[in-house]
Amino acid sequence: MRNVVLRMYRSSGLLDSCGLCQLPGGGGMLRATVSSMEERDEEQEDEGEEELRDGGVPLYVNRGGLPVDKETWERMWRHVARIHPNGEALAKDIRDATDLPKIPIPSVPTYQPTTTIPQRLEAIQKYIRELQYNHTGTQFFEIKKSRPLTALMDIAKEMTREALPIKCLEAVILGIYLTNNMPGVERFPLSFKSQFSGNHFHHIVLGVHSGGRFGALGMSRREDLMFKPLEFRTLMELVQEFDGAYKGCWHTLCKVKIGQYVSHDPHSVEQIEWKHSILDLDKLTKEELRKELERHTRDMRLKIAKPAPPSPIKDRRNSMGSPLRVPSSPIRRISRVERRPSGEKKVLEQTPSADMSGYQIRV
């Protein structure tokens, strides 16, 4: 399956040097296939529905696991035939081929004891990049944000076994899995909502913090919207770096959502807190944004001081050989921390350029 999917990219020119889908005359811009799509609901964004939309372009999710069932497989090819300039001819050419080259499977990075944290993070990003971005329109691994961390880590293990192309949310889960054995590195979700030509786009990376510096791991069509080395002194500097990257591809960054630090225990039944802070950039001045990010940084530090609830495996180990031990009470569902949206929204008039009205730049 990996050979077929990657052949789809390489033989058809679906990838360019910037990681954007190519269309004739587009100059790296993708014409929206569906022009009258409403912005998807925030709750649907969280949980995911059968057909997600980003910038008006549908994204299907493989909910049947691997190997991919026939219905999902055929739907993927129909979607590729609709969105690619060569249409059904491309799909037929690849599916009928009998001499598909064998695509090498990337190796999960290993380290020497002397390997530094920045070097390890660079190796992890290199591995994520080698999996390649998934342009098929079908996400191969179903990620439900409400699932406990231990279940998401099982999915990450499957990603390393299958070595299929992934999208940004899958890369975040994989990044958490590959950094679990690095206790000196704290991880947190960092998601963005941007606007271009009247449509909204969503993206997420894994923020990292170590040695007093911030950085990021991730996957994107754009090289400057994923990996950031550990060189940013504050969360504000990291967010501003991504804001500049969005401006570089003519997107306006509208909203930033930042989660809490993620546990390093792969067996933890905690849920990832994806949106501890929701910052609307249209509502905040630069100084207000800086204060909100400083407040969030303090909140993350406070979480480190709080002991995480023990995993079921540790509970079982502690109870072995103790017949008089009183059974522990059921694990209480962790309530979501109250979100802190920023102030009142200002009304802004969007005036997209006339020469870009028919195009969408996806990030």
Side-chain angles (χ1 to χ4, degrees), residues 162-275:
E162 300 294 339
L164 290 169
I166 58 177
K167 297 180 77 69
C168 59
L169 181 57
E170 295 158 297
V172 167
I173 301 303
L174 184 57
I176 294 173
Y177 172 72
L178 295 174
T179 53
N180 273 337
N181 61 349
M182 300 166 62
V185 177
E186 299 298 340
R187 300 82 42 85
F188 58 94
L190 177 61
S191 59
F192 307 96
K193 177 181 176 182
S194 63
Q195 185 181 49
F196 175 79
S197 191
N199 278 324
H200 289 96
F201 299 81
H202 300 267
H203 180 49
I204 187 169
V205 297
L206 181 66
V208 292
H209 180 258
S210 179
R213 293 291 187 269
F214 288 92
L217 299 170
M219 176 66 84
S220 172
R221 299 176 183 87
R222 302 286 302 197
E223 186 70 25
D224 52 357
L225 284 175
M226 42 185 181
F227 177 68
K228 301 296 178 184
L230 276 174
E231 60 183 31
F232 301 93
R233 294 173 299 173
T234 65
L235 195 52
M236 178 70 170
E237 289 184 4
L238 180 62
V239 170
Q240 286 181 321
E241 171 68 18
F242 277 103
D243 186 28
Y246 272 106
K247 290 177 181 176
C249 53
W250 302 286
H251 276 235
T252 300
L253 186 58
C254 305
K255 188 177 291 187
V256 178
K257 302 175 186 177
I258 318 170
Q260 277 279 21
Y261 284 156
V262 179
S263 169
H264 284 266
D265 180 6
H267 306 293
S268 173
V269 295
E270 289 184 87
Q271 293 179 351
I272 296 174
E273 189 175 345
W274 298 92
K275 295 184 291 187

Side-chain angles (χ1 to χ4, degrees), residues 287-302:
E287 180 62 20
E288 289 171 338
L289 177 62
R290 182 186 63 79
K291 290 181 178 179
E292 287 291 324
L293 293 173
E294 287 179 351
R295 189 263 314 160
H296 184 89
T297 302
R298 290 193 297 269
D299 289 350
M300 291 195 295
R301 289 172 182 164
L302 287 174

Side-chain angles (χ1 to χ4, degrees), residues 278-281 283-284 292 340-345:
I278 303 175
L279 306 178
D280 209 324
L281 273 61
K283 303 173 183 177
L284 299 172
E292 287 291 324
R340 305 189 185 184
S342 49
E344 295 298 323
K345 187 176 183 64

Side-chain angles (χ1 to χ4, degrees), residues 45-168:
E45 176 197 346
D46 286 348
E47 298 300 331
E49 70 274 20
E50 184 60 28
E51 183 181 323
L52 303 175
R53 294 183 182 274
D54 204 29
V57 178
L59 165 66
Y60 297 100
V61 179
N62 169 35
R63 303 192 185 278
L66 297 172
V68 176
D69 60 58
K70 183 177 180 180
E71 179 181 353
T72 303
W73 184 251
E74 295 299 328
R75 183 184 63 186
M76 181 188 77
W77 285 105
R78 289 195 300 270
H79 181 63
V80 170
R82 286 196 301 268
I83 65 174
H84 194 272
N86 294 335
E88 296 182 0
L90 167 69
K92 186 176 185 304
D93 177 60
I94 297 175
R95 301 186 73 176
D96 292 346
T98 58
D99 59 342
L100 291 176
K102 186 175 182 179
I103 306 298
I105 296 178
S107 299
V108 176
T110 57
Y111 322 102
Q112 298 296 327
T114 56
T115 306
T116 65
I117 293 297
Q119 290 172 336
R120 295 185 183 203
L121 293 177
E122 289 180 8
I124 291 172
Q125 182 62 48
K126 180 176 181 292
Y127 172 75
I128 292 175
R129 187 181 286 108
E130 286 175 348
L131 293 177
Q132 299 198 26
Y133 189 90
N134 180 0
H135 290 273
T136 65
T138 298
Q139 182 174 303
F140 296 125
F141 302 95
E142 182 183 12
I143 307 295
K144 290 187 176 181
K145 292 183 176 180
S146 59
R147 300 188 72 182
L149 184 60
T150 180
L152 295 175
M153 293 302 94
D154 288 340
I155 296 174
K157 291 178 185 177
E158 190 175 21
M159 291 183 205
T160 62
R161 289 195 302 267
E162 300 294 339
L164 290 169
I166 58 177
K167 297 180 77 69
C168 59

